[in-house]
Amino acid sequence: MSFTISHAPLAPHAHLSPSLPPMSILRRLNPSRLTLRLHRRRLATVAAAVRQDTTLWTPAPLSRVEPAAESLFHVRVDLSDAPDLASSYTRPGQYLQLRVPDVEKPSFLAIASPPALAAKGVFEFLVKSVEGSIAELLCGMKKGDVVELTQAMGKGFEIDQIPPENYPTVLIFATGSGISPIRSLIESGFNADKRSDVKLFYGARNLDRMAYQDRFKDWEASGVNIVPVLSQPQDGWTGQSGYVQAAFSRAKQAYNPLSTAAVLCGQKQMAEEVTSILLADGVASEKILKNF
């Protein structure tokens, strides 16, 4: 048996040696491109390391760690020997990074206390203890234990954008530990008493998980009408139930969107849905304040 091999016409590049790989492979193996790519990776790695190395960490002792509600803890840090750190906090809604001994990875925490308390050498946080997290380690620490903190960061709540004479209505929304920077806002004073309608819709699973209830009376006295919203209330609860966004829709009264502002902090879905409702009503997007 014999085989006949037919020869097809040569392609335009058929004069090249058949041992050479296709040009697509040559391009992938192009030494200059490969070198450039590796060089860029090294530069990115070095840049990331430099950024990490330039983070200023300030050690400070804990002066208080105690339960605030179910799975939530009050954590107070003594800044009496760290005035530069204390002075970095200037606006409610700012946050920082905190790390505990022997753990490199830090945790981001919103500062719950108002800047005026920082001036006295104190930062306070509301920390949710989640199993296996850095927050759980922090909540298990004791008075005198030392943590490390960065300077305060973030723009915070830009309250100067909503002066009381132009925005008499302010709607505040918070869920879970998102109440932390809202506490700072309220206790810093944002002229709630000079506004005609300030409401705080505060959502939690039940009253056992609702922090700062001992502060509600003072917040009300400052001009903030508090609307607790429980998603899984205990028997006998007669207040608002379900999710914050639904409670707001049910309780919503006519308001002038041109003179209304809002402040949001907490669960992502809540923030997105409340924002959609406010925008649909005509509230300006730049008057819906968030701390991120």
Side-chain angles (χ1 to χ4, degrees):
M1 181 179 293
S2 64
F3 295 90
T4 301
I5 301 177
S6 62
H7 296 275
L10 290 175
H13 56 274
H15 62 279
L16 295 176
S17 169
S19 62
L20 289 176
M23 287 301 294
S24 59
I25 296 179
L26 284 175
R27 282 196 293 268
R28 287 201 295 272
L29 296 177
N30 188 317
S32 61
R33 291 192 180 191
L34 181 59
T35 301
L36 180 60
R37 187 177 303 169
L38 291 174
H39 180 62
R40 286 175 176 170
R41 286 183 181 176
R42 282 196 294 269
L43 286 178
T45 302
V46 171
V50 169
R51 286 196 298 271
Q52 183 174 1
D53 291 342
T54 56
T55 301
L56 177 63
W57 292 97
T58 302
L62 301 177
S63 58
R64 178 188 183 194
V65 180
E66 62 183 29
E70 185 180 316
S71 77
L72 294 172
F73 287 78
H74 292 299
V75 175
R76 174 180 284 196
V77 181
D78 180 1
L79 303 178
S80 54
D81 292 329
D84 290 344
L85 174 56
S87 63
S88 71
Y89 177 39
T90 60
R91 179 181 282 175
Q94 287 184 292
Y95 54 89
L96 50 68
Q97 294 183 78
L98 180 151
R99 65 185 184 187
V100 301
D102 303 320
V103 179
E104 281 297 318
K105 184 178 179 181
S107 179
F108 283 88
L109 294 174
I111 305 171
S113 48
L117 197 56
K120 298 179 181 179
V122 173
F123 274 173
E124 291 184 343
F125 304 92
L126 180 67
V127 182
K128 182 177 181 180
S129 179
V130 178
E131 185 176 357
S133 70
I134 299 169
E136 182 184 35
L137 296 176
L138 175 61
C139 295
M141 297 176 74
K142 298 175 181 175
K143 180 179 179 180
D145 289 344
V146 175
V147 296
E148 291 184 314
L149 308 96
T150 66
Q151 301 271 301
M153 59 186 76
K155 61 184 176 60
F157 298 121
E158 298 178 307
I159 296 301
D160 53 334
Q161 301 295 317
I162 54 170
E165 59 271 21
N166 297 329
Y167 296 91
T169 299
V170 177
L171 304 171
I172 307 172
F173 304 87
T175 54
S177 58
I179 193 64
S180 178
I182 299 300
R183 173 204 155 187
S184 175
L185 170 69
I186 294 173
E187 296 183 6
S188 295
F190 67 107
N191 296 312
D193 58 339
K194 296 180 181 179
R195 305 178 195 264
S196 60
D197 184 19
V198 179
K199 286 189 178 69
L200 165 60
F201 291 84
Y202 176 14
R205 179 176 297 180
N206 51 50
L207 288 176
D208 292 337
R209 295 203 174 196
M210 183 165 279
Y212 298 143
Q213 293 181 57
D214 57 331
R215 296 177 177 270
F216 285 2
K217 184 176 180 180
D218 290 339
W219 292 0
E220 294 264 5
S222 73
V224 180
N225 179 19
I226 301 172
V227 183
V229 185
L230 306 181
S231 60
Q232 298 179 23
Q234 295 97 332
D235 293 341
W237 173 250
T238 58
Q240 289 285 345
S241 300
Y243 294 112
V244 162
Q245 52 270 42
F248 171 53
S249 294
R250 289 194 302 267
K252 189 169 62 172
Q253 298 176 347
Y255 62 87
N256 182 358
L258 299 180
S259 59
T260 296
V263 183
L264 288 80
C265 189
Q267 201 261 349
K268 181 180 179 181
Q269 183 177 352
M270 178 277 291
E272 290 177 347
E273 293 186 12
V274 167
T275 298
S276 295
I277 295 171
L278 294 170
L279 291 175
D281 285 346
V283 177
S285 60
E286 64 271 18
K287 304 307 176 183
I288 302 174
L289 308 183
K290 302 173 184 177
N291 69 326
F292 56 88

